[in-house]
Amino acid sequence: FDPSRSKELLQRQFGTLNLKAFGLVNEKIEAIAAASLLSYVGENTMADVPHIQSLSSYREEEFVNMDEATLRNLELVSSRNETSTRYTLFGVLDNTKTAMGQRLLKRRILQPLVCLKAIESRLEKVDLLYRNQSQLSLVREELARINDLERLTARVAMEKAHAKDLVAVRKTLDILDD
């Protein structure tokens, strides 16, 4: 939890001379938190974590701030009465085709944007696909073939991947290359 050691750890991890590119100029608390998390992950995986190559700060003013009670009562991603997500906002909206998409949807539900311009940008993208159902269908077919690259690359980076994982990475990269 030492600010100077935290800064050094993050600079070494990201191969930088300073942390300005990550928005951490005089942000000692954020640097300490990031370095602590990085150390924790490294210790628990008993491996280096070279796949972690960046960090971004969560800025409260960018998102609607909701406490735990609000999240629980609104049943956004989990139901109070059931173990499934069937009767939640996430359950209703989740038509994702990949695990990565599912995680992204969950993050976006739990962290709704405040900035009108950013909201409108997202809505324009959704509207584009909504109005072009044939294009949406093609995108969904392709996405259904994609493996969870986030998890696979983490396994590869931590040298915990099996041959099956490497084949899945190759197949996914071939799909993305087309």
Side-chain angles (χ1 to χ4, degrees):
F1 295 105
D2 176 45
S4 60
R5 287 189 59 213
S6 297
K7 181 180 173 186
E8 290 171 15
L9 174 68
L10 293 173
Q11 288 172 331
R12 190 172 49 251
Q13 176 73 24
F14 304 128
T16 60
L17 297 175
N18 59 52
L19 301 172
K20 287 181 186 176
F22 304 107
L24 299 176
V25 181
N26 294 320
E27 313 279 346
K28 292 180 181 175
I29 293 172
E30 288 89 344
I32 291 169
S36 298
L37 286 170
L38 191 62
S39 294
Y40 175 80
V41 170
E43 288 172 15
N44 282 311
T45 59
M46 293 182 281
D48 289 333
V49 284
H51 63 288
I52 299 176
Q53 299 176 351
S54 178
L55 68 99
S56 59
S57 297
Y58 174 90
R59 304 276 181 219
E60 283 188 358
E61 62 271 8
E62 295 175 19
F63 306 100
V64 175
N65 189 15
M66 295 182 281
D67 61 15
E68 285 296 318
T70 302
L71 294 173
R72 190 175 44 256
N73 289 327
L74 290 176
E75 297 185 338
L76 298 175
V77 296
S78 62
S79 174
R80 291 185 297 167
N81 300 328
E82 290 193 24
T83 57
S84 77
T85 60
R86 185 174 31 174
Y87 300 112
T88 66
L89 179 62
F90 176 74
V92 170
L93 295 178
D94 185 22
N95 289 308
T96 58
K97 291 294 183 179
T98 67
M100 296 177 291
Q102 235 178 16
R103 288 191 295 272
L104 177 62
L105 176 61
K106 195 173 280 188
R107 271 194 311 272
R108 288 190 172 172
I109 289 172
L110 292 173
Q111 298 173 337
L113 294 172
V114 171
C115 175
L116 183 60
K117 190 173 184 176
I119 294 169
E120 287 173 346
S121 174
R122 280 189 189 168
L123 288 174
E124 286 172 11
K125 293 170 187 170
V126 170
D127 188 55
L128 181 71
L129 288 172
Y130 176 75
R131 293 187 185 281
N132 191 344
Q133 291 291 310
S134 61
Q135 184 68 32
L136 175 61
S137 182
L138 289 172
V139 169
R140 290 176 60 77
E141 284 175 25
E142 289 300 308
L143 286 174
R145 299 174 43 212
I146 293 177
N147 292 295
D148 192 348
L149 265 182
E150 290 174 344
R151 298 255 165 103
L152 289 169
T153 54
R155 290 178 63 81
V156 170
M158 294 186 330
E159 299 178 2
K160 299 203 184 266
H162 303 291
K164 180 179 167 184
D165 297 326
L166 298 175
V167 169
V169 169
R170 187 194 75 219
K171 285 181 179 179
T172 299
L173 291 176
D174 286 346
I175 292 166
L176 294 174
D177 191 37
D178 290 341

